[in-house]
Amino acid sequence: MIDRRTFTKAVGLGAGAGALSLAGLPQAQAQAQTQAAEAAGATGPAGAVQAGAGPDGGGAPAGRTGFARLAQVRAGVLDVGYAEDGPADGPVVICLHGWPYDIHSYVDVAPLLAAQGYRVIVPYLRGHGTTRFLSARTPRNAQQAAVAADVVALMDALGIGRAVLAGFDWGSRTAGIIAALWPERVTALVAVSGYLITNVEQQHEPLGAAAEHTWWYQFYFATERGRRAMEDRDKRRGLCRLVWENVSPTWAFDDAVFERTAAAFDNPDYPAIVIHNYRWRLGLADGERRYDRLEQRLAARPAIPVPTVTLDPGRDPFTAPGDGSAYRRYFTGPYLHRTLADVGHNLPQEAPADFVRAVLDADRL
């Protein structure tokens, strides 16, 4: 288990081995934004440019409010909603969001990667946005193996054999699981916060008081009071916004940015999925038997053999101390690590150019 008692000491990006220059990225993003705005008539929600937006923490101009293309596809037990950008025949990058976030964490990342020739896929995870269960009888289960199996099923449905996987929070865990269990499907990995695969038995061990305080919402969700709060639209949004503020203390997002993402929380399965995820992690809710074999393999903390870049957000209260040393042993392939000093939990939205740089570097390790 990662010890989350203190912040990581910020060391900056540096020029690690295999790192690529991103000098052309701001220009590429501007071009991608212009093309998207023209395609939407400069007024449509997909690709519209927000006037007066300033630079974000990653040094790229902010302002995109949507994606070039949104689509749905049946995959496994779900009808998956996803955003897509870039050439259809380009190498694939799948970007995976966390909680309490949605696909808009990658709203500025996607055009940057598309401008570099990548086909970018950004799915809503189960229980979020336009992703729906195909059957009312399917358990609203959010154990880690189920969420990872969703992404593999999405790759199969879209005819994607291999892809770069990149994510944070739930998305980082999910990407890491796929890289560990199905490395033949993963070209490279970008994992914010490193190795997040959960061992439920180890979760029974208490951390220090400061770390447990940081995880307050997990304990709240273990109660019926917390479940009822998640089922109440206003309380749910208030709670999620508080989490944003606490885990990204330097990110000056506005009401429009939050509301754009919070719309994804209105999915009818959202409360059940969120509550099950956190209760399952603490051993307070059962998973499905169909995933038992996968969970047994994950409980052994399998190594990840694919080329990997790990990113630690320096202002994220969940970042482990030691500049990535707590999880370095789990990555056995070509590897780079960086800490971003003034960035919080939602790293791809707070620092999109840095996230893109990590994808490019991972793909060339």
Side-chain angles (χ1 to χ4, degrees):
M1 176 183 292
I2 295 174
D3 182 355
R4 298 181 172 90
R5 298 176 192 176
T6 60
F7 290 107
T8 294
K9 183 178 179 182
V11 297
L13 275 172
L20 298 178
S21 169
L22 291 192
L25 279 178
Q27 180 180 359
Q29 185 187 40
Q31 181 182 3
Q33 289 179 346
T34 299
Q35 291 172 347
E38 291 174 350
T43 58
V49 177
Q50 181 180 1
D56 60 23
R64 275 180 56 99
T65 61
F67 293 89
R69 295 187 296 279
L70 298 173
Q72 299 283 141
V73 65
R74 290 194 169 200
V77 300
L78 300 173
D79 180 24
V80 179
Y82 66 97
E84 181 168 354
D85 206 342
D89 59 351
V92 179
V93 179
I94 299 176
C95 296
L96 301 171
H97 67 80
W99 181 88
Y101 306 95
D102 82 329
I103 63 174
H104 290 89
S105 289
Y106 297 99
V107 73
D108 291 311
V109 165
L112 286 173
L113 288 172
Q116 297 291 314
Y118 287 95
R119 180 188 180 192
V120 186
I121 306 293
V122 190
Y124 285 108
L125 299 183
R126 58 169 55 193
H128 294 72
T130 61
T131 292
R132 296 290 189 274
F133 286 90
L134 296 175
S135 172
R137 295 188 297 273
T138 303
R140 272 37 179 179
N141 167 18
Q143 70 184 105
Q144 60 183 356
V147 180
D150 291 344
V151 177
V152 175
L154 174 65
M155 294 174 69
D156 291 342
L158 296 178
I160 298 170
R162 301 177 74 222
V164 178
L165 299 185
F168 75 104
D169 197 87
W170 290 21
S172 183
R173 176 176 296 106
T174 301
I177 289 170
I178 297 169
L181 298 185
W182 299 283
E184 71 280 0
R185 305 299 298 269
V186 182
T187 306
L189 173 69
V190 174
V192 176
S193 304
Y195 191 92
L196 298 181
I197 295 175
T198 299
N199 180 313
V200 174
E201 289 301 317
Q202 289 184 4
Q203 292 283 84
H204 295 162
E205 291 297 319
L207 300 175
E212 299 286 33
H213 177 268
T214 301
W215 285 107
W216 64 270
Y217 56 86
Q218 288 207 25
F219 307 120
Y220 187 43
F221 292 159
T223 70
E224 284 305 289
R225 185 181 178 111
R227 180 188 63 78
R228 291 175 62 186
M230 286 302 291
E231 291 176 346
D232 182 292
R233 186 175 185 270
D234 291 337
K235 290 184 174 63
R236 178 171 68 234
R237 290 189 177 213
L239 185 153
C240 291
R241 181 156 187 154
L242 178 62
V243 171
W244 279 33
E245 293 167 351
N246 288 344
V247 302
S248 293
T250 59
W251 183 31
F253 64 89
D254 60 19
D255 291 346
V257 169
F258 177 76
E259 290 300 325
R260 196 155 49 239
T261 286
F265 309 159
D266 292 335
N267 184 306
D269 296 312
Y270 186 81
I273 287 296
V274 173
I275 293 298
H276 183 268
N277 178 279
Y278 289 105
R279 290 184 179 182
W280 177 86
R281 287 197 217 178
L282 296 176
L284 303 176
D286 293 332
E288 290 180 78
R289 293 191 63 183
R290 70 167 79 180
Y291 301 113
D292 283 354
R293 186 172 298 179
L294 295 178
E295 293 295 353
Q296 289 170 4
R297 294 174 62 189
L298 294 173
R301 309 302 292 276
I304 293 175
V306 306
T308 299
V309 174
T310 56
L311 300 173
D312 274 352
R315 297 302 301 273
D316 182 354
F318 303 124
T319 295
D323 196 26
S325 61
Y327 52 73
R328 175 65 183 91
R329 67 188 182 277
Y330 294 113
F331 298 95
T332 58
Y335 181 80
L336 287 173
H337 172 79
R338 296 177 185 136
T339 296
L340 306 186
D342 296 317
V343 178
H345 191 73
N346 186 8
L347 191 152
Q349 196 164 4
E350 296 179 56
D354 291 308
F355 192 86
V356 170
R357 174 183 172 183
V359 171
L360 298 180
D361 288 350
D363 198 21
R364 289 162 174 79
L365 282 175

